[in-house]
Amino acid sequence: MSDDAFTPRPEHRFTFGLWTVGNRGRDPFGHEVRPPLDPVESVRRLADLGAYGVNFHDSDLVPDGASPSEREAIVKRFRRALDETGMKVPMATTNLFSNPVFKDGAFTANDPAVRRYALAKTMDAIDLGVELGATVYVCWGGREGVECDAAKDVRAALDRYAEAVNALCGYVRDRGYDVRLALEPKPNEPRGDIFLPTVGHMLAFIERLERPEMVGVNPEFAHETMSGLSFHHAVAQCLWAGKLFHIDLNAQRAGKFDQDFRFGSEGVRDAFYTVKLLEDAAWDGMRHFDAHAYRTEDADGVWDFARGCMRTYLVLADKARRFASDAEIQEALRAARADGLHQPTVPAGGLDSIRREQFDLDALGAQGYGNERLDQLVTELLLGVR
Amino acid sequence: MSDDAFTPRPEHRFTFGLWTVGNRGRDPFGHEVRPPLDPVESVRRLADLGAYGVNFHDSDLVPDGASPSEREAIVKRFRRALDETGMKVPMATTNLFSNPVFKDGAFTANDPAVRRYALAKTMDAIDLGVELGATVYVCWGGREGVECDAAKDVRAALDRYAEAVNALCGYVRDRGYDVRLALEPKPNEPRGDIFLPTVGHMLAFIERLERPEMVGVNPEFAHETMSGLSFHHAVAQCLWAGKLFHIDLNAQRAGKFDQDFRFGSEGVRDAFYTVKLLEDAAWDGMRHFDAHAYRTEDADGVWDFARGCMRTYLVLADKARRFASDAEIQEALRAARADGLHQPTVPAGGLDSIRREQFDLDALGAQGYGNERLDQLVTELLLGVR
Amino acid sequence: MSDDAFTPRPEHRFTFGLWTVGNRGRDPFGHEVRPPLDPVESVRRLADLGAYGVNFHDSDLVPDGASPSEREAIVKRFRRALDETGMKVPMATTNLFSNPVFKDGAFTANDPAVRRYALAKTMDAIDLGVELGATVYVCWGGREGVECDAAKDVRAALDRYAEAVNALCGYVRDRGYDVRLALEPKPNEPRGDIFLPTVGHMLAFIERLERPEMVGVNPEFAHETMSGLSFHHAVAQCLWAGKLFHIDLNAQRAGKFDQDFRFGSEGVRDAFYTVKLLEDAAWDGMRHFDAHAYRTEDADGVWDFARGCMRTYLVLADKARRFASDAEIQEALRAARADGLHQPTVPAGGLDSIRREQFDLDALGAQGYGNERLDQLVTELLLGVR
Amino acid sequence: MSDDAFTPRPEHRFTFGLWTVGNRGRDPFGHEVRPPLDPVESVRRLADLGAYGVNFHDSDLVPDGASPSEREAIVKRFRRALDETGMKVPMATTNLFSNPVFKDGAFTANDPAVRRYALAKTMDAIDLGVELGATVYVCWGGREGVECDAAKDVRAALDRYAEAVNALCGYVRDRGYDVRLALEPKPNEPRGDIFLPTVGHMLAFIERLERPEMVGVNPEFAHETMSGLSFHHAVAQCLWAGKLFHIDLNAQRAGKFDQDFRFGSEGVRDAFYTVKLLEDAAWDGMRHFDAHAYRTEDADGVWDFARGCMRTYLVLADKARRFASDAEIQEALRAARADGLHQPTVPAGGLDSIRREQFDLDALGAQGYGNERLDQLVTELLLGVR
């Protein structure tokens, strides 16, 4: 696994959350299997593996309830590790889900005091992220949902959600921070239903905010796939709307619990089209992995996991390049009339000219699009036999 | 089943598509089991059952390829049935999916000629709908999708989709029609993946149109449920965004083929909360059923089906009223702090005052929300034992 | 909620696991929200609510690593609570999933030492269960699965699984215990895929054991529903095969994480048909609830949860009786030709007579089965409006 | 796509149903897009592509209602094509789903006359299959299910299902046919729920038949995957039980309508492990493709589709061989202790020796299984970069 072409380097802009390599393997039915991992150790190991940077929840770095001096010491030591390794912190986020205080929600908790605490904790976390250089702030509303639908008026919940995001945008602006917010949707787990369950619902929500230009989406492979939806279609809509502010790459099987598997280990076709989309669009954001090692793994397995995420991305990016230069694939695209989708539909003569047009429906209905051949060519490209 | 309280009447604003009662029971593995149903017969029978009106695809009423004089005769005869029964046509739509010409899409077909034909057919259908009084025009892009992802650039597809809807809005405006467009999302079937797969993706898409104020959503119970999402949450987001222009009521099990079962026959809790939402909001639109009788049924079963959809809606609406007047439920809502969600989060003192606030996290984390009791009370309300 | 007709009493044979009411609300993203619950307190509270008994995992009652004298003291105190309340322990089971030692499996772990430990722990747990009166022993193989499919030869895993169950049957027999084993399937979570994922796969597996007569199934509503399958069909197949040895009642939405919600709170139709099936069959086993209170709840909510499970069962059992005595429903069953399914297909003349028979396919194809009407009648029975 | 290594030849034992290449692209929302395909043409084209044989439903070859002389002419012409090409007919089946007569079921229809007709049609179809050389008879009970659960007593339905299969086994025996039956499970579609929904439920059912040795399973990739279950786990259980009598290869996304896509076009990992399993087990049955071309395709696309199914199988079979000879993968398997699963668990000393054993739980809990590395190696094997 040492082929140079697939060796990660900082210019590939791969990032990991401290919580990803630091995941200790706890699950709903089992205890932790791995010892705690020092954030500084994570920085050093990821730097060695060729990553660009790390991201964190406030509580991943500074334990809740730490004193100002403890916080300072932790940040100083962490910053030193960043400086020594050249690693960056492009994104930060807040843990608004672990503490029992959030059991009924954070920004949409029924109790206003909980909502105020969630805002206070988030402002602190934004400060911490900015201090370490983050320019993207991710909000995952994991507890913003409900099991007993009677307990929440959904429209009121959306009002409160919008109020919170508006307030945070105002905070960022007032402080003069160079930070954009990226909201992360998820359909369910840990709540029975989470509000704004898909990339689409989140994109729509953003349009009703006071400063929509400051807010985008952080789509996650696993979350969109849990609902059986195409992840790369969702990412494409984000790009189309100018709203891809961050991305969470991992793997997931549809209709299952949130798996957060190693990127590319499931759903490799959707992974390929996602990589192809990001590379074709020359998207300038981070390739962030929000995943963790299987619970079967010891500490070494964690680094195998991290290495695998990045290698698979590079392998798929290479295949995206081959797709573009493969003459047979390009010919099949022409047979599928793929270029026709880039032409405007309405001719110079306008709608009137369309109404006068005579359509040969039999001929149009009879033509084939050669999609079986095209899809097989992509399959063989993916399987490495062309 | 003759209880007066649950007898449908026109003021309940129940509508059915001609294609729903006219469904002949064909499915992917079986032939038609019921004879064709004359649209005029459908109008008369539905009027007898207490419906408010009927909706149709162009091809449901006027067969594709009918001559102008045939069209005129059909429309005249149909209008007479409407006049005699007092039935309305509040909505119309276009069949852009049955003909082989649409096999690669309609507004997002790769072939521009197919896209032009789809626009021409839609303009004709809008004319027909307006002629019969429709003020809502539904677009379901059932073929706007893909199996072989390489064949379609999703961003180009969204460009073409937007171009088509923009063109239709222009057409409606130029003609001076009093018509709004309602776009209907669906995640898959008949395509492997359909573009704009959920209510959320569609709401977001609308915001990027030229005249978003003319365009809303037609959410369908079955379609949102296929992805395992909460339908009433989606409807609530539509209402919140001012975008509920129409609604398709039916029943569906998550993660299965598009079932279009009788309203309330599956997912009765989500059905209840949907009805409660529409009634609480005093939503002024049609209660449209986009469903069909099981394939086991003969012609009589079709009318049992139609009667059942309406009765169940009325039963659930009655339960929504009881919910509001049930003292124990109202007390449980207080215990769940439901009212707190309607209060603003940020106090008069602004964010600064929040940062100075001392939060008693242990107390906030320890408090219970009584959701088990509240949910059980709703369960018993639904089961009719309170 | 004090209506006498729906008040649980011991003769209803309701049981709860200590781990159900004792669930502390931990989930993959959040810490415990409720304090530990003393098993003796659970016994007393459940007795007060009208339950028949409690079940437990070994570790629920006696902490792993307890000394013999500690074990003795715990068991003595627990038995006293049982004696004082009249509560029974009809079932026991083993925790083979929480300890990191089981991360690669228990009976199907790749490491033989882990498998031996799993057997040793299970024998101890059987002893404990028998000591307290249990006659059913449940095996849930929550860790018997895999994420990286290359790591396990599935046929070898089934060999080891069968070896373990065979060994335990031998142990029970050698000891002369009056105990039957009930195996519990689950499709996934915590493993990516769990071996023997449905009731069907488990029933089939049992037939290949050395003493299949000693082994049956413990179907769980949530587990079968996670795969989108009909729970009551699965229970019916267990009954049909004489293999319903225990049952786990709760609620679940298809295609989601393992929710273990209050019985009847989701999927009420499938819950109704399940209750109807158990009651119609006069099944003599326990009505066990393997569920837990929402994480929003404090200690009081736990008992609301327990009460709700039992009440809903009794409400549905009452509806099952009404189904049998409702003249219109019975008439609709005749219209659906439901009785015909109980008649043998092959006539006295044998297959030859069938081949000579002239079938009027048009008439047979035209007949209706009145299932819309029948289903609507059941819907109205469930909604309490008939 | 002409690489010799992946060119199908008859010895690879690839078969297709006449209904697969003959699929005309009709779906629930659209009309046929391809002209009818002459079965003789299918035989010739598939022979040219390197297939071993074809399979059929009775009605695929001989239209329902054909006279004896028409049947004879059709069979004679078909047999000639087989003889000229060397193609075989290893399997046959019956269409018990298209005709309206089966709308309430075939072997489990409530009306005994329908059930008798289903038996008569099946006996005729077995005769036809045997006449053309088939030794496997597949039963797919696509209509054996229900939407309105009240209409069917599931246990009675299983009685009737068993009666029918028992009768057919008797028929085969009485006639002295060398035929085995393979039952094919499916969870839903076209029925709301189909009886015996998974490979597991079907395997269990078979054990209750009169002559279980004559009956096995025909697992289908799409059907098991619709429920989100691992197909190769299901196939492994069939092999483990000696019940893999036939197999249907295709592709499917979990939680969606029955897609029947080209083999390997979705779920390539599960496809790989399935091929590896069949090849490792040297399974001697047919590699049958029950799939069809996308509706976007014209007649040429159908043969691209057929060619792609076979090529992908051969590519995956080649990877299965590489898996076995890849030193690094083999080393990773040792690190995962994969061999340990093949050793018996119970030592020579029996269970008693296990109970006396001292287990070092900390050490056992701490050991890692290297599954991330192993899985990444397989991923890279699949992607063709090792």
Side-chain angles (χ1 to χ4, degrees):
Chain A
M1 297 208 286
S2 59
D3 185 312
D4 257 356
F6 307 136
T7 300
R9 291 188 304 271
E11 63 262 37
H12 297 129
R13 305 198 136 209
F14 293 127
T15 59
F16 288 83
L18 289 182
W19 69 93
T20 66
V21 290
N23 180 288
R24 299 185 54 201
R26 205 192 73 171
D27 71 23
F29 298 93
H31 303 314
E32 287 79 356
V33 296
R34 290 184 289 264
L37 188 60
D38 179 349
V40 163
E41 165 83 355
S42 295
V43 168
R44 296 194 190 285
R45 294 297 296 258
L46 288 169
D48 288 348
L49 292 177
Y52 173 84
V54 293
N55 305 316
F56 54 78
H57 298 92
D58 50 351
S59 320
D60 297 337
L61 183 61
V62 182
D64 288 1
S67 70
S69 64
E70 286 166 339
R71 179 188 185 284
E72 192 187 330
I74 290 168
V75 171
K76 190 173 170 187
R77 178 169 170 267
F78 187 70
R79 188 195 297 274
R80 194 182 315 129
L82 295 174
D83 290 345
E84 289 172 7
T85 56
M87 292 277 279
K88 308 296 181 198
V89 175
M91 179 272 270
T93 181
T94 321
N95 182 326
L96 296 176
F97 42 87
S98 296
N99 194 307
V101 72
F102 299 122
K103 63 188 169 187
D104 182 52
F107 296 152
T108 65
N110 279 356
D111 187 330
V114 173
R115 300 200 299 268
R116 290 197 303 273
Y117 172 65
L119 274 179
K121 190 172 195 291
T122 302
M123 288 185 284
D124 287 348
I126 291 176
D127 290 352
L128 176 64
V130 168
E131 189 177 340
L132 286 161
T135 56
V136 173
Y137 193 79
V138 163
C139 296
W140 172 57
R143 296 281 170 202
E144 317 298 0
V146 71
E147 292 79 33
C148 163
D149 276 309
K152 301 258 178 197
D153 178 324
V154 178
R155 287 175 291 167
L158 296 178
D159 282 341
R160 293 292 79 72
Y161 214 146
E163 185 192 3
V165 180
N166 288 335
L168 294 172
C169 286
Y171 178 74
V172 164
R173 226 163 112 116
D174 289 350
R175 290 288 171 125
Y177 289 160
D178 175 25
V179 163
R180 297 191 301 173
L181 276 68
L183 308 185
E184 178 179 332
K186 188 177 180 185
N188 63 267
E189 193 192 336
R191 303 308 302 262
D193 284 291
I194 296 180
F195 301 132
L196 305 170
T198 75
V199 165
H201 297 79
M202 195 58 88
L203 280 170
F205 171 74
I206 291 168
E207 299 291 335
R208 288 291 181 278
L209 296 175
E210 286 175 5
R211 295 184 183 87
E213 71 284 0
M214 290 180 67
V215 188
V217 180
N218 179 38
E220 175 167 327
F221 194 103
H223 296 178
E224 202 78 357
T225 303
M226 287 168 73
S227 301
L229 302 174
S230 164
F231 182 61
H232 97 267
H233 285 205
V235 175
Q237 189 172 355
C238 290
L239 284 171
W240 186 75
K243 287 297 183 194
L244 187 68
F245 284 14
H246 199 260
I247 195 165
D248 277 3
L249 299 172
N250 50 25
Q252 173 75 32
R253 293 269 292 275
K256 294 196 170 179
F257 70 98
D258 183 19
Q259 300 184 308
D260 288 346
F261 285 157
R262 195 180 70 257
F263 181 62
S265 63
E266 296 279 354
V268 73
R269 288 175 73 86
D270 207 2
F272 166 69
Y273 283 111
T274 299
V275 169
K276 182 174 181 307
L277 184 66
L278 297 178
E279 299 299 313
D280 287 356
W283 183 65
D284 64 356
M286 296 296 125
R287 276 64 177 165
H288 173 70
F289 299 105
D290 185 7
H292 54 74
Y294 303 138
R295 193 169 177 270
T296 48
E297 303 305 285
D298 59 14
D300 287 346
V302 170
W303 308 115
D304 289 333
F305 147 80
R307 197 182 291 113
C309 286
M310 295 187 283
R311 275 183 66 82
T312 298
Y313 188 99
L314 293 175
V315 170
L316 296 177
D318 181 62
K319 289 183 188 292
R321 281 186 294 272
R322 287 168 188 264
F323 181 98
S325 64
D326 183 310
E328 202 172 356
I329 288 176
Q330 294 303 312
E331 195 278 317
L333 284 170
R334 280 187 294 275
R337 295 171 176 76
D339 280 352
L341 200 56
H342 292 270
Q343 303 167 21
T345 302
V346 182
L351 292 176
D352 283 348
S353 72
I354 289 177
R355 293 194 104 172
R356 287 189 305 267
E357 191 170 345
Q358 295 297 319
F359 297 97
D360 183 345
L361 297 185
D362 289 341
L364 289 174
Q367 68 193 6
Y369 292 84
N371 283 4
E372 287 286 355
R373 176 166 165 256
L374 173 58
D375 201 71
Q376 181 66 19
L377 289 168
V378 175
T379 299
E380 300 191 11
L381 176 70
L382 278 175
L383 293 173
V385 294
R386 64 173 298 111
Chain B
M1 299 207 285
S2 60
D3 186 313
D4 259 357
F6 307 135
T7 301
R9 291 188 305 270
E11 62 262 37
H12 297 130
R13 307 198 134 207
F14 293 127
T15 59
F16 288 84
L18 289 182
W19 69 93
T20 66
V21 291
N23 180 288
R24 298 184 57 200
R26 204 191 75 172
D27 70 24
F29 299 92
H31 303 314
E32 287 79 356
V33 296
R34 290 184 288 265
L37 188 60
D38 180 349
V40 163
E41 165 82 355
S42 295
V43 168
R44 295 194 191 285
R45 294 296 297 259
L46 288 169
D48 288 348
L49 292 177
Y52 173 84
V54 294
N55 306 317
F56 54 78
H57 300 93
D58 50 352
S59 320
D60 298 336
L61 184 61
V62 181
D64 288 1
S67 71
S69 65
E70 286 166 338
R71 179 188 185 283
E72 190 186 332
I74 289 168
V75 171
K76 190 173 170 188
R77 180 170 169 265
F78 187 70
R79 188 195 297 277
R80 194 183 316 128
L82 295 174
D83 291 345
E84 288 172 8
T85 56
M87 292 277 279
K88 308 296 181 197
V89 175
M91 179 272 270
T93 181
T94 321
N95 182 325
L96 296 176
F97 42 87
S98 296
N99 194 307
V101 72
F102 300 122
K103 62 187 170 188
D104 181 53
F107 296 153
T108 64
N110 279 357
D111 186 330
V114 174
R115 301 199 299 267
R116 291 196 303 272
Y117 173 63
L119 275 178
K121 190 172 195 290
T122 302
M123 287 185 283
D124 286 348
I126 291 176
D127 290 352
L128 176 64
V130 168
E131 189 176 341
L132 287 160
T135 57
V136 173
Y137 193 78
V138 163
C139 296
W140 171 57
R143 296 281 170 203
E144 318 298 0
V146 69
E147 291 80 33
C148 162
D149 276 309
K152 301 258 178 197
D153 177 324
V154 178
R155 288 175 291 166
L158 296 179
D159 282 341
R160 294 291 79 73
Y161 214 147
E163 185 191 5
V165 180
N166 288 336
L168 294 172
C169 286
Y171 178 74
V172 164
R173 227 161 112 117
D174 290 350
R175 290 290 171 122
Y177 289 160
D178 175 25
V179 163
R180 296 192 301 173
L181 275 67
L183 309 185
E184 177 179 333
K186 188 178 181 184
N188 62 269
E189 191 194 337
R191 304 307 302 264
D193 284 291
I194 297 180
F195 302 132
L196 304 171
T198 75
V199 165
H201 297 79
M202 195 58 88
L203 279 170
F205 171 74
I206 291 168
E207 299 292 334
R208 288 290 181 279
L209 297 174
E210 286 174 5
R211 295 182 184 89
E213 71 285 359
M214 291 180 66
V215 188
V217 179
N218 178 39
E220 174 167 328
F221 194 104
H223 296 179
E224 202 78 357
T225 304
M226 287 168 73
S227 301
L229 302 174
S230 165
F231 182 61
H232 96 268
H233 285 206
V235 175
Q237 189 173 354
C238 290
L239 285 170
W240 186 76
K243 288 296 184 193
L244 187 68
F245 284 14
H246 199 260
I247 194 165
D248 276 2
L249 299 172
N250 51 25
Q252 173 75 31
R253 292 268 292 274
K256 293 195 171 180
F257 70 98
D258 184 20
Q259 300 184 307
D260 288 347
F261 286 157
R262 195 179 71 258
F263 181 61
S265 63
E266 297 279 355
V268 73
R269 289 175 71 88
D270 206 3
F272 166 69
Y273 284 111
T274 300
V275 169
K276 181 174 180 306
L277 184 65
L278 297 177
E279 298 299 312
D280 287 356
W283 183 65
D284 65 354
M286 297 296 126
R287 276 65 177 165
H288 174 70
F289 299 104
D290 184 7
H292 54 74
Y294 303 138
R295 193 168 177 270
T296 49
E297 303 305 285
D298 60 13
D300 287 346
V302 170
W303 308 115
D304 289 332
F305 147 80
R307 196 183 290 113
C309 287
M310 295 186 284
R311 276 182 63 82
T312 297
Y313 188 98
L314 293 174
V315 170
L316 295 177
D318 181 63
K319 289 184 189 290
R321 282 186 294 273
R322 287 168 189 263
F323 181 98
S325 64
D326 184 310
E328 201 172 356
I329 288 177
Q330 294 303 311
E331 197 278 317
L333 284 171
R334 280 187 294 276
R337 295 172 176 76
D339 281 352
L341 200 55
H342 292 270
Q343 303 167 20
T345 301
V346 181
L351 291 176
D352 282 348
S353 71
I354 288 179
R355 293 196 104 171
R356 287 189 306 266
E357 193 171 343
Q358 295 297 319
F359 297 97
D360 183 346
L361 298 185
D362 289 341
L364 289 174
Q367 68 191 6
Y369 292 83
N371 283 4
E372 287 287 353
R373 177 166 165 256
L374 174 56
D375 199 73
Q376 180 66 18
L377 289 168
V378 175
T379 299
E380 300 191 11
L381 177 71
L382 278 175
L383 293 173
V385 293
R386 67 174 294 113
Chain C
M1 297 208 287
S2 59
D3 185 313
D4 257 357
F6 306 135
T7 300
R9 292 187 305 270
E11 62 262 35
H12 297 129
R13 307 198 135 207
F14 293 126
T15 58
F16 288 83
L18 289 182
W19 70 93
T20 65
V21 291
N23 179 289
R24 299 185 56 201
R26 204 192 75 172
D27 69 24
F29 297 93
H31 303 315
E32 288 79 355
V33 296
R34 290 183 289 265
L37 188 61
D38 179 350
V40 163
E41 165 82 354
S42 294
V43 168
R44 295 195 191 285
R45 293 297 297 259
L46 288 168
D48 288 347
L49 293 178
Y52 174 84
V54 293
N55 305 318
F56 54 79
H57 299 92
D58 51 351
S59 321
D60 298 336
L61 184 61
V62 181
D64 288 2
S67 71
S69 64
E70 286 166 338
R71 178 189 186 283
E72 192 186 331
I74 290 169
V75 170
K76 190 172 171 189
R77 180 170 169 266
F78 187 70
R79 190 195 295 276
R80 195 182 315 129
L82 295 173
D83 291 344
E84 288 172 7
T85 56
M87 293 277 279
K88 308 295 181 198
V89 175
M91 179 272 269
T93 182
T94 321
N95 181 325
L96 297 176
F97 41 88
S98 296
N99 193 308
V101 73
F102 299 123
K103 62 188 170 186
D104 182 53
F107 296 153
T108 64
N110 280 356
D111 185 331
V114 173
R115 300 200 298 268
R116 290 197 303 274
Y117 172 64
L119 275 177
K121 189 172 196 291
T122 302
M123 288 186 284
D124 287 346
I126 291 176
D127 290 352
L128 175 65
V130 168
E131 189 176 341
L132 287 160
T135 57
V136 173
Y137 192 78
V138 163
C139 295
W140 172 57
R143 296 280 170 203
E144 317 297 1
V146 70
E147 292 80 32
C148 162
D149 275 309
K152 302 258 178 197
D153 177 325
V154 178
R155 289 176 290 168
L158 296 179
D159 283 340
R160 292 292 79 73
Y161 213 146
E163 185 192 4
V165 179
N166 288 335
L168 294 172
C169 286
Y171 177 74
V172 163
R173 229 162 109 116
D174 290 349
R175 291 290 171 121
Y177 289 159
D178 175 26
V179 163
R180 297 191 301 173
L181 276 67
L183 309 185
E184 178 179 332
K186 188 178 181 184
N188 63 268
E189 193 195 335
R191 303 308 301 263
D193 284 290
I194 296 179
F195 301 132
L196 304 171
T198 75
V199 165
H201 297 79
M202 194 59 87
L203 280 170
F205 171 74
I206 290 168
E207 299 291 334
R208 288 291 181 278
L209 296 175
E210 285 173 7
R211 296 183 183 88
E213 71 284 359
M214 291 181 66
V215 188
V217 179
N218 178 39
E220 174 167 328
F221 195 103
H223 296 178
E224 202 79 356
T225 303
M226 285 168 74
S227 301
L229 303 174
S230 164
F231 182 62
H232 98 267
H233 285 205
V235 174
Q237 189 172 355
C238 290
L239 285 170
W240 185 75
K243 288 296 184 195
L244 187 68
F245 283 14
H246 198 260
I247 194 165
D248 277 2
L249 300 172
N250 50 25
Q252 173 74 31
R253 292 268 293 273
K256 293 195 172 179
F257 70 99
D258 184 19
Q259 300 184 307
D260 288 346
F261 286 157
R262 195 180 71 258
F263 182 61
S265 63
E266 296 279 354
V268 74
R269 288 175 73 88
D270 206 3
F272 166 68
Y273 283 111
T274 300
V275 169
K276 183 174 180 305
L277 184 65
L278 297 177
E279 299 299 312
D280 287 356
W283 183 66
D284 64 356
M286 297 296 127
R287 275 66 177 165
H288 173 70
F289 300 104
D290 185 6
H292 54 75
Y294 303 138
R295 192 168 176 270
T296 49
E297 302 306 284
D298 60 15
D300 287 345
V302 169
W303 309 113
D304 290 332
F305 147 80
R307 196 184 289 113
C309 286
M310 296 187 283
R311 277 182 65 82
T312 297
Y313 187 99
L314 294 174
V315 170
L316 295 177
D318 181 63
K319 290 183 189 290
R321 282 186 294 273
R322 287 168 188 263
F323 181 99
S325 64
D326 183 311
E328 201 172 355
I329 288 176
Q330 294 302 312
E331 197 277 318
L333 284 170
R334 281 187 292 277
R337 295 170 175 78
D339 280 353
L341 200 55
H342 292 270
Q343 303 167 21
T345 301
V346 181
L351 291 176
D352 283 349
S353 72
I354 288 178
R355 293 196 104 173
R356 287 189 306 267
E357 191 169 346
Q358 295 296 318
F359 298 96
D360 184 345
L361 298 185
D362 289 341
L364 288 173
Q367 68 192 5
Y369 291 84
N371 284 4
E372 288 286 354
R373 178 167 163 255
L374 174 56
D375 200 73
Q376 181 66 18
L377 288 168
V378 175
T379 299
E380 299 192 10
L381 177 70
L382 279 175
L383 293 174
V385 293
R386 65 173 298 110
Chain D
M1 299 206 285
S2 59
D3 185 313
D4 258 357
F6 307 135
T7 300
R9 292 188 304 271
E11 63 262 35
H12 296 129
R13 306 197 134 208
F14 293 126
T15 59
F16 288 82
L18 289 182
W19 69 93
T20 64
V21 290
N23 180 288
R24 298 185 55 201
R26 203 192 75 171
D27 70 24
F29 298 93
H31 303 315
E32 288 79 356
V33 295
R34 290 184 288 265
L37 187 61
D38 179 350
V40 163
E41 164 82 355
S42 295
V43 168
R44 295 195 190 285
R45 294 297 297 259
L46 288 169
D48 288 347
L49 293 178
Y52 174 84
V54 294
N55 305 317
F56 55 79
H57 299 92
D58 51 351
S59 320
D60 297 337
L61 184 61
V62 182
D64 288 1
S67 71
S69 65
E70 287 166 338
R71 179 189 185 282
E72 191 186 330
I74 289 168
V75 171
K76 190 173 170 187
R77 179 170 169 267
F78 186 69
R79 188 194 297 276
R80 194 183 315 131
L82 294 173
D83 291 344
E84 289 172 7
T85 56
M87 292 277 280
K88 308 294 181 199
V89 175
M91 178 273 269
T93 181
T94 322
N95 182 324
L96 297 176
F97 43 86
S98 296
N99 194 308
V101 73
F102 300 123
K103 62 188 169 187
D104 182 53
F107 296 153
T108 64
N110 279 356
D111 186 331
V114 173
R115 300 200 298 266
R116 291 197 302 275
Y117 172 64
L119 274 177
K121 190 172 195 290
T122 302
M123 289 185 284
D124 288 347
I126 291 176
D127 290 351
L128 176 64
V130 168
E131 189 177 341
L132 286 161
T135 57
V136 173
Y137 192 79
V138 163
C139 295
W140 171 57
R143 295 280 171 204
E144 317 298 0
V146 71
E147 291 80 33
C148 164
D149 276 309
K152 302 257 176 197
D153 177 324
V154 178
R155 288 175 291 167
L158 296 178
D159 282 341
R160 293 293 78 73
Y161 214 146
E163 185 193 3
V165 179
N166 287 335
L168 294 172
C169 287
Y171 178 74
V172 164
R173 228 162 110 116
D174 290 350
R175 290 289 171 123
Y177 289 160
D178 175 26
V179 163
R180 297 191 300 173
L181 276 68
L183 309 184
E184 177 179 333
K186 188 178 180 184
N188 63 269
E189 192 194 337
R191 304 307 302 263
D193 284 290
I194 296 180
F195 301 133
L196 304 171
T198 75
V199 165
H201 298 79
M202 194 59 88
L203 280 169
F205 171 75
I206 290 168
E207 299 291 334
R208 288 290 180 279
L209 297 174
E210 286 174 7
R211 296 183 183 88
E213 71 284 359
M214 291 181 66
V215 188
V217 179
N218 178 39
E220 175 167 327
F221 194 103
H223 296 178
E224 202 78 357
T225 303
M226 286 168 74
S227 301
L229 302 174
S230 163
F231 182 62
H232 97 267
H233 285 206
V235 174
Q237 190 174 354
C238 290
L239 285 170
W240 186 74
K243 287 297 183 193
L244 187 68
F245 283 15
H246 198 261
I247 195 165
D248 277 2
L249 299 172
N250 51 24
Q252 174 75 31
R253 292 268 293 273
K256 293 195 171 179
F257 70 98
D258 183 19
Q259 299 184 308
D260 287 346
F261 286 156
R262 195 180 71 258
F263 181 62
S265 64
E266 296 279 355
V268 74
R269 286 175 73 88
D270 206 4
F272 166 68
Y273 283 111
T274 300
V275 169
K276 181 174 181 306
L277 184 65
L278 297 177
E279 299 300 312
D280 288 355
W283 183 64
D284 65 354
M286 297 296 126
R287 274 66 176 165
H288 174 70
F289 300 104
D290 185 7
H292 54 74
Y294 303 137
R295 193 169 177 269
T296 48
E297 303 306 284
D298 60 15
D300 287 344
V302 169
W303 309 114
D304 289 332
F305 147 80
R307 196 182 291 114
C309 286
M310 296 187 283
R311 277 182 64 82
T312 297
Y313 188 99
L314 293 174
V315 170
L316 295 178
D318 181 63
K319 289 184 188 292
R321 281 187 294 273
R322 287 168 188 264
F323 180 98
S325 64
D326 184 310
E328 201 172 356
I329 289 176
Q330 294 303 312
E331 196 277 317
L333 284 170
R334 281 188 292 277
R337 295 171 176 75
D339 280 352
L341 201 55
H342 292 269
Q343 302 167 21
T345 301
V346 182
L351 292 176
D352 283 348
S353 72
I354 288 178
R355 292 195 106 173
R356 287 189 306 266
E357 192 169 345
Q358 294 297 318
F359 297 98
D360 183 345
L361 298 185
D362 289 341
L364 289 174
Q367 70 192 5
Y369 292 83
N371 283 5
E372 288 286 354
R373 176 166 165 256
L374 174 57
D375 200 72
Q376 180 67 18
L377 289 168
V378 175
T379 299
E380 299 191 11
L381 177 71
L382 278 175
L383 293 174
V385 293
R386 64 173 299 111

